[in-house]
Structures are given as structure tokens and as C-alpha cells.
Amino acid sequence: MGRLKFLKSKRKILAEGFRDGIPIGLGYLAVSFSLGIAAKNAGLSAFQSFLASLFCNASAGEYSGFTVIAANATYVEMFIVTLVANARYLLMSCALSQRMAEGTKLIHRIVLGFYITDELFGITISRKGFVDPYYTYGAILFAGPCWAVGTALGTIAGNLLPLRIVSALSVALYGMFLAIVVPPSRQNKKLLGIVVCSFVLSLACAYLPLVSTLTEGTRIIILTVVISTVAAILFPVKDKEVAEDES
């Protein structure tokens, strides 16, 4: 009886994740379509670009990889470029690990770490209580294939669509990400202050001398470490509070 209740609970959480993953997946279709065009320009087939997006869930990392392929660079150069471009996901994985229940199995931690994207991280970390891997799995079931299929479709279509239309489609993903961040910020003034501070500092770093010369990925990593560290020191969240949210 207890086993059946557990399965029903996990199925419900999986369904919630799948539901929340639908708008993310639709946004991924638009964004990865333009990524597929970059893959075609690098000489990749539709199947190759599909596999690239299936195993690399990052637009910046994939685009950097396709650029390196087009330039006939070495595997070492590709490794370094994609590592730098995707380094922020290491920070996101660390943040999620702090929100997981103590008894979470290693396989769940590995899968969540592999499938972390900006949007999946946003909806997962915004839920109250401990992170439930099955919620993220539900979102991945829809969003993951959309990312890979969209890239393949972009490779097939090539440059048939005007660049302005492709760029316009990609704006939807940023709006969706704001929809993830805004509701929790309205309920928590401290979180709202951190979000506003992040926007202001990100804009400032794009124009400040020296800092603006760094790559966008490097700036994001630096800002994430600095802002999260200051926020953790000023507004610490105790395990007891997380457990209360879970209940």
C-alpha cells in the first residue's frame, strides 16, 4: 500500500513537471531552430545536429562548438571553448545540490546535473521545499526532445527563413524566463531586491571598462558567484525553513 501511494505521488509530481515543461519546450523549438542553421553552416547533417543538442543542452555552448567546427579547430580547442561557455551550469548544479534531500540517490543527482538549463533550473529551484528529481524529469520529457528536434529542423530548413524572423522567435524564451522569475520575486521582497540588483549589475558590467571585455559567460559566472555569496551571507536560509516549506 505504501509503495502504491509513493508511485501515485511521484506520478503526480512528474505530471506537474511535464505541464510546466510545455512552454519551455515550445520556446526551445524556436531558439534551437536558429541553432540548427549555425550547425548547417558548420557542415553538420540534421542527424548530427540532433545528437549535438541531445547531449549538450546549452545554446551558448553548442553555438561555440559549431563555430569551432566551422573553423576546423582541434578537439582541445573545442573542449576549452565549450567548458568556458557552459561553466555557469556548474554553479547551478551546486545550488541544486544544496536543495536536495540528504537521502537523494547519486543517479538522480547526476541526471539533474546533466540536464540543467537556465529555464529548467529556474522552475526547479523556485519550488518550495527540497528538490524532487521527478518534477524536473517531467519537464525534461517534453523540453529535451523539443530542443533536439528544433535543432534538426533548423538544419533541414537551412537559411530558408529570414534571419529577422528567427531572431524574433528567440525572444519568446527570454520572456518565458522572466515569467519564471517574476512571480516568486513578487512574494519575497528580499528575492526581488536580489533580482533587481542582478539586472543592474549585469547591465553595468556590459559597459564598465575591463569587465566589458570579458566574455558574456565569464561575466555571468563572476556575477553569480558574487551576488549569491553576498545574498547567502545577508539572508541565510536554514534547513529547518526548507523542511517547513516541504511540508
Side-chain angles (χ1 to χ4, degrees):
M1 191 69 179
R3 179 66 176 176
L4 181 61
K5 184 178 180 180
F6 173 81
L7 292 176
K8 287 183 178 180
S9 173
K10 293 305 178 183
R11 186 171 61 183
K12 179 177 180 295
I13 295 174
L14 192 74
E16 292 176 357
F18 188 86
R19 176 201 61 199
D20 294 344
I22 291 176
I24 294 178
L26 295 178
Y28 281 175
L29 273 174
V31 175
S32 60
F33 188 91
S34 59
L35 193 63
I37 296 176
K40 179 177 177 61
N41 294 335
L44 273 68
S45 66
F47 180 67
Q48 289 172 328
S49 62
F50 174 84
L51 289 180
S53 286
L54 191 64
F55 293 108
C56 183
N57 307 290
S59 57
E62 280 190 67
Y63 186 81
S64 300
F66 294 151
T67 303
V68 170
I69 292 174
N72 293 319
T74 64
Y75 289 120
V76 174
E77 290 174 311
M78 181 184 294
F79 172 79
I80 295 174
V81 167
T82 54
L83 178 64
V84 172
N86 296 335
R88 70 182 186 276
Y89 296 116
L90 297 175
L91 301 176
M92 293 182 186
S93 297
C94 290
L96 281 182
S97 69
Q98 300 303 306
R99 286 283 305 278
M100 291 183 180
E102 187 174 345
T104 303
K105 295 182 179 179
L106 179 61
I107 184 63
H108 292 309
R109 296 176 182 271
I110 293 175
V111 173
L112 286 187
F114 176 77
Y115 274 103
I116 282 300
T117 66
D118 297 335
E119 294 73 30
L120 293 178
F121 172 80
I123 63 173
T124 301
I125 204 73
S126 63
R127 285 172 65 88
K128 293 183 178 180
F130 293 116
V131 169
D132 193 318
Y134 288 89
Y135 172 79
T136 312
Y137 294 162
I140 292 171
L141 284 176
F142 189 86
C146 285
W147 180 256
V149 170
T151 307
L153 291 176
T155 304
I156 294 172
N159 294 316
L160 295 180
L161 290 178
L163 182 60
R164 291 184 178 181
I165 294 180
V166 176
S167 299
L169 289 173
S170 65
V171 174
L173 192 62
Y174 296 101
M176 178 187 61
F177 189 70
L178 287 176
I180 296 173
V181 176
V182 170
S185 300
R186 294 177 61 184
Q187 300 174 5
N188 190 320
K189 292 183 179 179
K190 295 178 181 178
L191 181 59
L192 176 61
I194 295 172
V195 171
V196 172
C197 182
S198 300
F199 287 160
V200 173
L201 290 178
S202 180
L203 177 62
C205 288
Y207 294 97
L208 289 174
L210 298 179
V211 181
S212 60
T213 60
L214 300 174
T215 63
E216 183 179 0
T218 302
R219 292 201 303 268
I220 291 175
I221 293 172
I222 294 175
L223 285 173
T224 302
V225 172
V226 172
I227 294 174
S228 60
T229 300
V230 174
I233 294 174
L234 296 178
F235 313 111
V237 178
K238 298 180 180 180
D239 292 339
K240 182 179 178 180
E241 296 178 14
V242 176
E244 289 175 352
D245 288 338
E246 177 73 11
S247 60

